[in-house]
Structure formats: C-alpha cells, structure tokens
C-alpha cells in the first residue's frame, strides 16, 4: 500500500468511522443515565417562560466556561509551545470528547495534546496534569467550605469526619501544587528515559506567580460552573439563596470528584448526593428539581462540548493525513 492510498484511507474512511464511533459512544452514555429520559420528559412538560430564559442563560454561559478552561490551558502551554487561544479552545473541546468516553475522564490528556507538535506532547501531558491539579485544589476548597456549612447548620455523625478529611486533602493539594517545582527532582531517577527527563524539567519552569494565576483562572471557572447550577436550580423552582446554593453545589461537585466513577457514571451517584445534600436537609422540597438541574448541567457542559470536540478531533486526524 503506497503513501497516497494510506492518506486516502485515513482521511476518507478511518476519520469518518472514528467520528461515528465517538458520536455513538456519546449517545450510549446519554441512554445509560438511569432515569434520565423520564426526568427529561417531566422537565419538558413543566417548561415555562421563566425556566426557558434561565436555561438559555446557562447555555450562553457554557462557552465562557469552556473558554476559561482554554485560557488556563493556553497559559500553561506558553512554557511549551506557542499556540493561539482559538487552538487551545479547540484542543480543550477535543479533550472533553476523549474524556467523555474513557474511564475517570483519563482521555482528556490525549485529546488535548493531539493538537501539539509530536515532540511536545509528553510535556503537554504534564502541563495538563498541572491544570487538573489547580482545578482539584479549587474543588477541594469549595468542598471544605460546603462541608463546614453542612456541619454547622445540618450536623450529622459523619459530617465532622468528612470535614476533617476535606481540610487535610485541601492542605496537601495546595502545598503540593505551590511546590510542584520539587517534582523536577524526579528527573534524576529516570536518567535512561531522556524524553521523560526533559518533560519533568517542565515543573521548574512555572513560577509561583504563574501557578497562582492558573489557580485564579481555575477559581473563575468553578464559579461559572457553580453559577450555572444555581441558575438551573432557580429554573426548576428551587427556592435557595445564592450563598447556600454556592456552598452546597461546591460540596456536591467535590463529593462527585472524590468518589471514583467510570464512563461518566457519576449521573447516578449525583442523584444520591443531591438527595443527601439538598432534600434530606430540607433545603429543597423535592429531589426532582435538583436532579433536573444536574442532568441539564451535564448535558450542556459535558455532552455539547464532547460532540463538538469529537468533530474537531476527527478533523485534526484527517488533516494530519495530508
């Protein structure tokens, strides 16, 4: 098989097939989300003008959420490869597509570094890990604040222990994140692996000022995401204040993060967590409104970018064949 034939097969046969596989996997994830169809039908019957306006606002905020993540990724890549913010945005969507169809979102790194030069992909993976760690620090911070609120106003036998665990986790993550340069010392243990050594030296390139800036962007993204969820709660007629909503939703996202899940199965777990935090405490009158908000947020911030990212990934693979 000559080179021209290989390019034709990759561009016009394999690339479309991969796109169809991506879209089918995304469709299967939606179909497998427990009572998703029933909840969506109930939501559709209860739609009104106010709900539509609020849901529209959440949809309009979604690109800002993705753009914020792209800005963080773009900042981290400045030490590796100069790319445009537009390209960083597309690579973030590509990462979300891969994350959607892989266990524990592990494919996010693959989708992102696909848009980097081959020699920079290993270092790009490390940069993506730093970005994920910054988001984890923010998530643990909100988890601690939300758990403190829950323990003070809705104490239970387990809340104190979880609060201590959240505080310990936050302290460890924040210390590790701000001292991430120390990990470059690992390069001395892998002298025979030249590529890995060069990648590990990347940790030394980020100053604390840059790490704080990345952390600030991660915080902004979390606030947007939490704001979307709070708006959806109001759209589904849940009477909840801004402060309580932000703290409990932050706690919800933290619990979802620390509980291991596979293939975006956290929709089912999210149902249990939302019932525990919002319904059992008496903050929300019923589980439906909170679950509907969770499902809708998942559709807007996970399914939509995953579909777009799968298309961009396929186009990238096709162009690489040229």
């Amino acid at each position: 098989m000559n080179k021209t034939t290989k390019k034709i097969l990759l561009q016009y046969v394999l690339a479309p097939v991969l796109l169809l596989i991506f879209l089918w996997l995304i469709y299967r994830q939606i179909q497998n989300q427990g009572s998703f169809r029933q909840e969506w039908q109930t939501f559709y019957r209860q739609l009104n003008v106010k709900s539509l306006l609020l849901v529209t606002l959440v949809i309009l905020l979604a690109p800002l959420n993705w753009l914020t993540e792209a800005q963080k990724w773009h900042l981290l890549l400045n030490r590796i490869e100069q790319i445009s913010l537009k390209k960083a945005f597309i690579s973030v969507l590509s990462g979300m597509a891969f994350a959607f169809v892989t266990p524990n979102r592990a494919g996010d790194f693959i989708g992102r570094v696909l848009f980097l030069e081959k020699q920079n992909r290993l270092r790009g993976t490390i940069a993506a890990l730093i970005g994920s760690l910054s988001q984890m620090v923010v998530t643990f911070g909100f988890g601690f604040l939300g758990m403190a609120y829950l323990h003070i106003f809705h104490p239970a036998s387990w809340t104190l222990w979880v609060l201590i665990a959240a505080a310990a986790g936050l302290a460890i993550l924040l210390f590790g994140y701000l001292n991430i340069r120390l990990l470059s010392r690992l390069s001395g243990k892998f002298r025979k692996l030249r590529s890995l050594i060069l990648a590990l030296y990347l940790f030394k390139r980020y100053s604390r000022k840059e790490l704080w800036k990345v952390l600030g962007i991660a915080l902004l993204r979390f606030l947007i995401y939490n704001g979307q969820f709070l708006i959806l709660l109001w759209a589904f007629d849940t009477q909840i204040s801004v402060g309580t909503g932000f703290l409990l939703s932050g706690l919800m996202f933290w619990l979802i993060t620390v509980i291991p899940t596979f293939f975006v199965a956290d929709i089912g777990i999210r149902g249990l967590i939302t019932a525990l935090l919002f319904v059992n405490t008496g903050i929300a009158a019923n589980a439906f409104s909170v679950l509907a908000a969770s499902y809708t947020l998942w559709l807007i911030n996970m399914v939509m970018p995953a579909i777009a990212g799968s298309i961009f990934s396929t186009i990238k693979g096709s162009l690489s064949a040229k």
Side-chain angles (χ1 to χ4, degrees), residues 69 71 84 117 122 125 127 138-139 174 189 207 228 274:
E69 178 62 25
Q71 180 63 54
S84 65
E117 297 295 332
L122 181 55
T125 300
V138 173
T139 302
L174 185 59
K189 300 182 181 297
S207 65
Q228 286 179 292
T274 51

Side-chain angles (χ1 to χ4, degrees), residues 96-289:
M96 295 180 77
F98 277 86
F100 197 86
V101 296
T102 52
N104 284 344
R105 299 176 56 83
D108 180 64
F109 307 125
I110 299 173
R112 291 193 184 202
V113 301
L114 183 66
F115 289 80
L116 300 180
E117 297 295 332
K118 289 184 179 180
Q119 67 270 19
N120 294 327
R121 289 178 180 175
L122 181 55
R123 288 188 293 176
T125 300
I126 290 179
L129 285 170
I130 295 174
S132 294
L133 182 58
S134 70
Q135 207 65 54
M136 187 73 72
V137 171
V138 173
T139 302
F140 265 72
F142 270 84
F144 170 73
L145 293 175
M147 201 67 237
Y149 170 86
L150 193 68
H151 179 67
I152 293 171
F153 294 99
H154 304 277
S157 58
W158 57 274
T159 54
L160 178 59
W161 294 107
V162 177
L163 177 61
I164 294 172
L170 174 60
I172 293 170
L173 282 174
L174 185 59
F175 176 82
Y177 175 75
L178 293 177
N179 294 278
I180 204 164
R181 293 165 58 92
L182 298 177
L183 290 178
S184 62
R185 296 178 181 177
L186 292 174
S187 58
K189 300 182 181 297
F190 301 98
R191 297 184 184 279
K192 294 182 180 180
L193 302 176
R194 184 174 181 276
S195 297
L196 182 58
I197 290 172
L198 293 175
L200 288 173
Y201 273 121
L202 178 66
F203 289 120
K204 297 182 69 173
R205 297 187 182 184
Y206 296 108
S207 65
R208 280 202 173 184
K209 182 179 179 181
E210 289 174 312
L211 292 175
W212 276 113
K213 188 173 182 179
V214 170
L215 196 64
I217 297 174
L219 174 60
L220 176 60
R221 187 190 177 211
F222 198 89
L223 291 175
I224 294 171
Y225 195 82
N226 269 26
Q228 286 179 292
F229 183 68
L230 185 57
I231 293 170
L232 286 172
L233 287 178
W234 294 335
F236 301 130
D237 204 28
T238 300
Q239 304 300 318
I240 188 169
S241 66
V242 174
T244 300
F246 261 92
L247 290 172
L248 286 188
S249 60
L251 177 56
M252 180 186 76
F253 295 134
W254 174 72
L255 289 172
I256 291 171
T257 299
V258 298
I259 297 175
T261 57
F262 297 92
F263 292 96
V264 199
D266 58 309
I267 289 296
I269 293 176
R270 189 171 303 192
L272 296 176
I273 293 174
T274 51
L276 175 67
L277 298 181
F278 291 90
V279 181
N280 293 2
T281 56
I283 294 173
N286 59 75
F288 165 73
S289 58

